Amino acid sequence: MNFDLPTDVQELVAVARQFREQRLAPLEQEFLLNGNVPWALRPQLQEEARALGLWAIDVPEEHGGLGMGQLAVCAVHEELNRHPMMFETGGAPEPVLYHCSPEQWEPYFASVVSGDRRSCYAFTEPGTGSDLGAIETTAVRDGDEWVINGQKLFIGLAERVEFLILFASTSPEKGSRGVSIFLIDSGTPGYEVVRTIPTMGDAWEPTEIKLNDCRIPAGQILGDVDCGFAVADEQLSHGRLKIASYQLGIAQRCLDEAVAWAQQRSTWGQPIASRQGIQFMLADSAVELDAARLLVYQTAWHTDEGRDVRTEAFKAKLFATEMAQRVTDRCLQVFGGRGYAKDNPVQSYFRQVRLWRIGHGTAEIHRWMIARDLLGPTANDPPRA
Ligand SMILES: Cc1cc2nc3c(=O)[nH]c(=O)nc-3n(C[C@H](O)[C@H](O)[C@H](O)COP(=O)(O)OP(=O)(O)OC[C@H]3O[C@@H](n4cnc5c(N)ncnc54)[C@H](O)[C@@H]3O)c2cc1C
């Protein structure tokens, strides 16, 4: 077995490292002290990253991407997350958009690859997040249109994107098997971003959305009617894997910072690095980080091999996000009071990683899915596509 990243992936990671060191690093203190950088800077940074080749990494070459797969995506995002800004490379359509029809391809898939448009997922509602079958937003067919009514909560960056990928119930009596996916352009009458929800994380801008008799053409359903669950079940693994890869860069950066501080800081005439209590925190963090990295890259590799990684992706995200929570906590502890200061990236990471045990599926739901794979069907099982 060869655990080295392929040469082309290593080369892309080197580009990402150069971009992080030269373009992101100078923005770090502004980001930490203000909780963000001016929003207009992000598209500009994405364009700069694009000029270096960091764009549409896993999009097949025939669709205008690099065609490099999930191993490359994970390796690049591990590298970029050594900066606390959680900078995303652009040009990668949400995986469900590979289900676009020929008519939808240009406005909803190709336009994301070209960088002209961006999207976000709108799934969660006031009454449900984990339980897809409890969605109350409805889409009712009326002639050549769908009429959508409902409310969505915690929808990331809805004010910043050009279209929504919205989950709505088309057959409420069928529960999760009666959900469909719709593509809704920003500015469509009846679709309104009501407010931005302040959160404990830096740079997050989840929003509340209302849909009030929002009419869209019949052709803006993605995939078949009532097939939203099947499409999402298959495609959300990529997102989980990418989130897992963020945790590697986060934990590595925090560990690097904590190691350096432990060697620099002395108490009672000795560096704290010589204290076993500190050493154990660093050692446990290093071991857990290595284990998470193996799990994430193995899952990425299996994805690129075309295997079904749904359970593996649950395992990778579960382990990596809980690892990152423990590592950021320990590293903050190594810093003492300086770990709590706003100018220290560790405190920002500590708050931000908390999201990933909730967003894109909670840790409890991940455990449920993993257990179901071990046990087979049991009482209370959610359906699987
Ligand atoms: C910053 C931020 C950004 C977000 N961005 C988006 C976005 O862009 N798009 C989007 O659609 N959503 C987004 N979300 C919402 C997120 O995906 C949901 O919060 C998440 O899926 C959990 O849903 P919930 O909050 O309704 O919790 P619930 O489903 O109500 O769960 C509450 C608690 O109960 C536990 N639980 C529920 N059911 C079970 C069970 N069967 N067994 C054991 N435990 C259970 C859960 O694990 C959790 O601990 C975002 C959230 C945040 C905070």
Side-chain angles (χ1 to χ4, degrees):
M1 290 171 94
N2 181 358
F3 287 95
D4 290 334
L5 290 174
T7 311
D8 58 345
V9 176
Q10 288 185 34
E11 286 168 359
L12 198 66
V13 170
V15 173
R17 182 171 306 126
Q18 180 197 344
F19 177 74
R20 176 177 60 79
E21 289 172 351
Q22 293 179 0
R23 287 301 287 127
L24 300 184
L27 301 169
E28 182 159 305
Q29 281 306 307
E30 180 183 359
F31 175 81
L32 292 175
L33 296 176
N34 300 334
N36 210 345
V37 292
W39 190 263
L41 209 49
R42 285 184 184 255
Q44 186 187 320
L45 287 167
Q46 276 195 336
E47 279 306 312
E48 290 178 33
R50 178 184 198 164
L52 295 171
L54 296 169
W55 192 263
I57 294 170
D58 58 336
V59 175
E61 284 176 282
E62 65 267 29
H63 299 317
L66 297 183
M68 289 183 70
Q70 298 310 306
L71 198 56
V73 169
C74 287
V76 164
H77 283 92
E78 171 176 356
E79 177 58 42
L80 292 174
N81 275 279
R82 293 181 192 208
H83 188 283
M85 204 168 95
M86 295 202 180
F87 176 79
E88 283 268 355
T89 58
E94 293 289 354
V96 296
L97 294 174
Y98 282 87
H99 288 261
C100 278
S101 66
E103 296 74 32
Q104 293 165 344
W105 193 261
E106 192 56 40
Y108 297 107
F109 184 96
S111 69
V112 176
V113 179
S114 67
D116 293 331
R117 304 185 87 204
R118 291 156 300 171
S119 68
C120 67
Y121 270 113
F123 176 100
T124 307
E125 301 186 350
T128 186
S130 305
D131 181 2
L132 182 63
I135 276 185
E136 289 179 350
T137 297
T138 54
V140 176
R141 187 71 187 256
D142 181 19
D144 286 343
E145 293 179 321
W146 289 98
V147 185
I148 304 183
N149 279 288
Q151 197 178 353
K152 296 282 176 185
L153 205 61
F154 288 117
I155 307 310
L157 304 176
E159 279 178 310
R160 311 273 183 200
V161 302
E162 283 71 30
F163 67 96
L164 285 185
I165 302 169
L166 178 117
F167 290 72
S169 178
T170 30
S171 303
E173 71 287 357
K174 293 193 201 164
S176 62
R177 294 189 188 282
V179 170
S180 305
I181 305 177
F182 297 90
L183 302 168
I184 304 186
D185 296 320
S186 299
T188 303
Y191 158 39
E192 182 192 0
V193 178
V194 179
R195 66 177 175 125
T196 298
I197 304 166
T199 69
M200 68 185 268
D202 290 329
W204 290 109
E205 295 179 359
T207 59
E208 181 180 338
I209 287 172
K210 279 208 173 111
L211 298 130
N212 189 11
D213 282 336
C214 177
R215 289 182 171 268
I216 56 170
Q220 279 176 230
I221 188 168
L222 184 74
D224 295 330
V225 177
D226 292 348
C227 285
F229 179 61
V231 171
D233 190 45
E234 174 201 334
Q235 302 290 344
L236 289 179
S237 296
H238 286 212
R240 294 193 179 103
L241 186 55
K242 189 164 72 167
I243 290 167
S245 75
Y246 298 168
Q247 315 308 314
L248 308 178
I250 290 168
Q252 187 66 61
R253 172 73 191 278
C254 290
L255 186 56
D256 291 347
E257 296 285 340
V259 165
W261 180 252
Q263 289 167 326
Q264 179 187 335
R265 178 71 165 177
S266 289
T267 59
W268 285 273
Q270 296 292 333
I272 58 171
S274 68
R275 314 289 178 185
Q276 210 171 47
I278 296 289
Q279 290 174 358
F280 282 9
M281 287 197 279
L282 299 176
D284 286 346
S285 298
V287 172
E288 290 183 30
L289 171 54
D290 280 357
R293 192 175 275 122
L294 288 171
L295 201 49
V296 170
Y297 285 116
Q298 177 179 273
T299 308
W301 184 65
H302 284 163
T303 308
D304 292 341
E305 294 278 296
R307 301 193 204 179
D308 179 351
V309 296
R310 284 178 292 179
T311 304
E312 265 188 88
F314 281 124
K315 289 180 185 172
K317 177 172 171 266
L318 175 67
F319 188 75
T321 53
E322 295 193 345
M323 175 279 297
Q325 193 79 63
R326 290 189 294 270
V327 170
T328 54
D329 184 47
R330 290 187 198 115
C331 292
L332 199 152
Q333 192 69 12
V334 168
F335 271 98
R338 282 173 177 77
Y340 203 70
K342 271 261 177 175
D343 65 356
N344 190 324
V346 178
Q347 59 76 29
S348 173
Y349 282 128
F350 174 74
R351 287 178 291 113
Q352 291 186 51
V353 295
R354 194 64 187 82
L355 169 64
W356 300 123
R357 288 168 54 206
I358 299 169
H360 230 83
T362 67
E364 292 71 34
I365 302 302
H366 279 43
R367 285 191 165 82
W368 188 4
M369 297 301 113
I370 295 163
R372 188 185 52 184
D373 212 61
L374 295 170
L375 298 168
T378 63
N380 288 326
D381 260 0
R384 187 162 214 178

